[in-house]
Amino acid sequence: MLEIIKELEGKSHAQRRENICQLLEAWEVPFQVHTYRTGINLFVKASTPNCLGISSHYDVVPNCPGANDNASAIAVTLELVRRLQQYNVRQLGLQFFFFDEEECGLKGSQAYVSEFGYQGMKGLYNFEMVGRGDQLALWPLKTESEGSLLSALEKQCRLLSLPSHRFDDLLTLTSDHMPFRRAGLKDAFSITCISSQDLEVAGHYYNALATEVNPPALHQILTKAPLFEHYHQPSDRSDYLQESALQLVANTVWSTYLAFDQQ
């Protein structure tokens, strides 16, 4: 998957979209192009009326190569597309999304939900920065949050002895799960790969937030987290990413899906 990231990093979001299209065409995977007022989404429609959603965004902020944010998520999404090609779906398909304009207000996912809704979707796993770390952050989720996708993923994490952590938000982030949640799809959330150092920094951040520390000081705390070390920076390159993290996310979500489809 790192090879896909290397192909995408440093390119404009239009070039990244073209690369995704070329790969899907080479794999003979039918996909649909959703053009809305300011951008273009891509999606691979599920083969069944009911499905699970898997999403990532392909746009980038200016002057950022966009390796972890969010070529890592594109690579994992494409890996799951590839695996699905070699699998005979029993009852529950997967629908894949590659959203535009996440970085400027979730415009792509909002446009999709406004036009198509979420009919038939049981829930959504949205990938956001999954190229570095050995644990999963699931967000935005509270202690009391419930959902069949959430329960299944956390069960799989326990079976794999993989630490997973719920966050009611992930520090300063938002992502493409939000338009689906606002529309009523409650079992929709983001998955981010993190490290023990990220967890430690998160604790410091929340403690500082509770004492109303000023924004510059909060930002300084965030810079100590590996997750945010290269976030929206010219240094967000594949050199800092790990194939093991990408495989971790892909394997966990894929095994969770298989458990769903084969039950």
Side-chain angles (χ1 to χ4, degrees), residues 36 41 53-59 69-70 73-74 97-113 121 123-128 139-140 173-183 185 188-191:
Y36 60 96
N41 297 320
I54 303 289
S55 63
S56 57
H57 73 85
Y58 68 82
D59 61 309
D69 186 19
N70 205 23
I74 296 169
F97 302 94
F98 302 91
F99 289 122
D100 197 356
E101 295 192 305
E102 188 269 356
E103 299 287 6
C104 51
L106 314 180
K107 291 181 181 178
S109 51
Q110 182 58 61
Y112 177 88
V113 172
M121 289 179 61
L124 177 77
Y125 292 142
N126 178 64
F127 298 142
E128 183 71 45
W139 56 282
L173 296 181
T174 187
S175 196
D176 286 315
H177 59 268
M178 288 305 299
F180 290 88
R181 287 173 70 108
R182 287 194 292 261
L185 186 63
F189 55 91
S190 285
I191 299 171

Side-chain angles (χ1 to χ4, degrees), residues 38-238:
T38 57
I40 301 172
N41 297 320
L42 306 172
F43 64 97
V44 177
K45 194 169 178 59
S47 60
T48 57
N50 296 320
C51 65
L52 305 182
I54 303 289
S55 63
S56 57
H57 73 85
Y58 68 82
D59 61 309
V60 290
V61 297
N63 303 314
C64 177
N68 201 23
D69 186 19
N70 205 23
S72 63
I74 296 169
V76 172
T77 304
L78 287 168
E79 171 64 13
L80 295 179
V81 170
R82 187 191 63 79
R83 293 187 189 189
L84 190 67
Q85 282 186 288
Q86 303 166 22
Y87 174 72
N88 293 320
V89 175
R90 296 187 180 184
Q91 56 185 338
L92 194 65
L94 291 176
Q95 183 145 314
F96 300 98
F97 302 94
F98 302 91
F99 289 122
D100 197 356
E101 295 192 305
E102 188 269 356
E103 299 287 6
C104 51
L106 314 180
K107 291 181 181 178
S109 51
Q110 182 58 61
Y112 177 88
V113 172
S114 295
E115 185 164 343
F116 301 107
Y118 60 88
Q119 186 175 5
M121 289 179 61
K122 299 298 185 183
L124 177 77
Y125 292 142
N126 178 64
F127 298 142
E128 183 71 45
M129 297 199 298
V130 293
R132 189 177 183 185
D134 57 4
Q135 304 177 44
L136 298 186
L138 314 178
W139 56 282
L141 297 166
K142 300 181 183 298
T143 303
E144 63 272 18
S145 295
E146 297 179 343
S148 57
L149 264 75
L150 172 61
S151 296
L153 182 61
E154 290 183 326
K155 178 181 178 180
Q156 196 62 37
C157 287
R158 290 191 296 271
L159 290 172
L160 297 171
S161 299
L162 169 62
S164 66
H165 313 272
R166 296 186 183 191
F167 289 85
D168 57 359
D169 59 53
L170 194 61
L171 305 180
T172 61
L173 296 181
T174 187
S175 196
D176 286 315
H177 59 268
M178 288 305 299
F180 290 88
R181 287 173 70 108
R182 287 194 292 261
L185 186 63
K186 300 304 182 184
D187 207 1
F189 55 91
S190 285
I191 299 171
T192 296
C193 207
I194 61 172
S195 65
S196 295
Q197 188 177 344
D198 290 310
L199 281 176
E200 183 178 347
V201 172
H204 293 321
Y205 178 88
Y206 286 123
N207 288 337
L209 195 63
T211 58
E212 299 183 355
V213 171
N214 62 61
L218 288 173
H219 176 76
Q220 188 59 35
I221 293 171
L222 284 185
T223 60
K224 300 183 184 303
L227 180 65
F228 291 102
E229 182 181 4
H230 307 291
Y231 177 60
H232 287 182
Q233 299 297 320
S235 57
D236 183 11
R237 306 200 65 86
S238 58

Side-chain angles (χ1 to χ4, degrees), residues 246-259:
L246 302 167
Q247 292 289 348
L248 178 74
V249 177
N251 291 341
T252 304
V253 171
W254 180 248
S255 59
T256 302
Y257 165 65
L258 293 183

